[in-house]
Structures are given as C-alpha cells and as structure tokens.
C-alpha cells in the first residue's frame, strides 16, 4: 500500500491513484464515489498566542491577528470558502499548502488558523476561537475508478476507509453535542 498525503486532486480516471479522499464532490462519471460526511472546522490558536495578542471577539478582529492559511486556492478551498459568505477577506502571516504544516504552526503558537475541531480538541493547549461566529463543514468523499469496484483488494480498502471516516465524523459530532 502506498499513501500520498497530499491535497492535490489526483487523476483517478488516469489511475494516478486507486482510491482518494476528496474534499470536493467528484464530477467525473466513471468514478465510484461515496459521501462519507462533513468534518467540522473552526479557528484554533495556541493559548500562549492569546496571552500575547488577546482573543478576537468578531470575525473582523481577525484582521489584527497573525493568521495561518493556504498559499494556493485549490478546488477544496474554493468550495469551502463558497460556503462561508460571512468570512471577511483573510490576509495570512504564514502561508502553507500543507494542512499538517498549518496545524504545526497553530500548535507552535504562531497564530490563528483553521483546522478540524477534533484535532484541535485533542490538544488542551489549543483554544477554539469565534466558535459561535464561524464554523465550516468540510464535505468528504471517497472515490475510486469504477473499473476497480470489483477488485477485491481495492474494494476492501475502499469500504474500510469509508467506515473509518464515517466513524471519525460521527465521533466528532457526538463530542460537539456532549456538555
């Protein structure tokens, strides 16, 4: 098994990958696709940053903070931003196209960034800011070429990934609802 941890939308039709997790709905007809749910995202920050710079109270307050974000507007980013019309234009102090690099910068106290609520909640040093004013849902799809539908190894991996992702999303929803 080979894992490519990339935000690039691999060309499944040309079999650049057998299975892909996508944050945009697939548009090509020759793909098997399963919507596995939506992952909640929010603004998160290390508590040491808040001690130094204060807590933003409104989305407009973000203009006075160091923000961590993307460099290139990928299809997934454009899709997410289209669902966030109340979000003001963001100017990033640190740009990284890797979600892992962005999360590392948030954890290091560099600034405020968007990440999965569940990932941030696992670190007690991170705070969820503007939670009552902003939340995005990252629609998540699992896709593979239709010619692989009956290939046992691909089908097993596809089904296992779908189940694991759905469980992860259900756990996030349950943790958001608990007191």
């Amino acid at each position: 098994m080979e894992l490519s941890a990339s935000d690039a939308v691999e060309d499944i039709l040309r079999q650049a990958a057998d299975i892909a997790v996508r944050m945009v709905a697939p548009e090509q007809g020759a793909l098997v696709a399963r919507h596995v749910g939506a992952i909640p995202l929010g603004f998160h920050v290390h508590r040491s940053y808040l001690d130094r710079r204060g807590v933003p109270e409104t989305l407009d307050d973000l203009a006075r903070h160091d923000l961590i974000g993307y460099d290139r507007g990928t299809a997934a980013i454009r899709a997410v931003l289209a669902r966030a019309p109340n979000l003001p234009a963001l100017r990033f102090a640190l740009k990284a196209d890797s979600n892992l690099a962005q999360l590392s910068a948030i954890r290091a106290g560099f600034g405020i960034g968007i990440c999965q609520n569940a990932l941030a909640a696992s670190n007690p040093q991170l705070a969820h800011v503007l939670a009552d004013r902003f939340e995005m849902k990252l629609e998540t799809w699992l896709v593979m070429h239709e010619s692989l539908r009956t290939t046992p190894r691909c089908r097993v991996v596809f089904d296992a990934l779908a189940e694991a992702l759905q469980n992860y999303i259900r756990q996030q929803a349950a943790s958001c609802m608990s007191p």
Side-chain angles (χ1 to χ4, degrees):
M1 183 179 292
E2 178 181 342
L3 175 66
S4 172
S6 166
D7 288 340
V9 177
E10 299 289 351
D11 189 346
I12 300 291
L13 291 179
R14 293 193 178 151
Q15 296 183 332
D18 291 338
I19 300 170
V21 179
R22 295 229 174 121
M23 303 327 185
V24 292
E27 297 176 357
Q28 298 141 322
L31 298 177
V32 174
R34 183 181 302 172
H35 181 254
V36 293
I39 299 171
L41 307 175
F43 285 108
H44 298 276
V45 62
H46 195 278
R47 294 182 191 284
S48 65
Y49 176 91
L50 295 177
D51 292 341
R52 291 189 320 270
R53 300 287 304 273
V55 179
E57 301 293 331
T58 68
L59 290 174
D60 290 334
D61 287 350
L62 292 174
R64 294 184 290 281
H65 285 272
D66 293 329
L67 302 180
I68 300 161
Y70 56 89
D71 187 29
R72 287 175 273 145
T74 64
I77 289 170
R78 287 189 301 275
V80 166
L81 291 176
R83 293 189 304 270
N86 63 334
L87 189 63
L90 301 176
R91 296 184 58 220
F92 301 122
L94 175 69
K95 296 178 181 181
D97 288 325
S98 162
N99 292 322
L100 293 175
Q102 290 177 21
L103 181 58
S104 293
I106 294 168
R107 287 178 175 160
F110 185 86
I112 300 170
I114 295 174
C115 72
Q116 295 179 28
N117 294 345
L119 288 178
S122 68
N123 184 335
Q125 292 301 310
L126 298 184
H128 189 174
V129 294
L130 302 170
D132 60 336
R133 301 187 190 279
F134 176 81
E135 182 185 82
M136 284 196 289
K137 300 273 188 180
L138 189 59
E139 298 297 332
T140 307
W141 298 80
L142 197 57
V143 297
M144 73 176 166
H145 193 281
E146 66 184 359
S147 67
L148 299 175
R149 178 192 308 249
T150 57
T151 304
R153 67 181 173 82
C154 290
R155 190 75 229 185
V156 166
V157 171
F158 186 92
D159 291 342
L161 278 172
E163 182 178 346
L165 287 167
Q166 288 169 331
N167 286 339
Y168 174 73
I169 291 168
R170 273 194 295 276
Q171 288 171 357
Q172 284 195 45
S175 69
C176 290
M177 295 173 71
S178 61

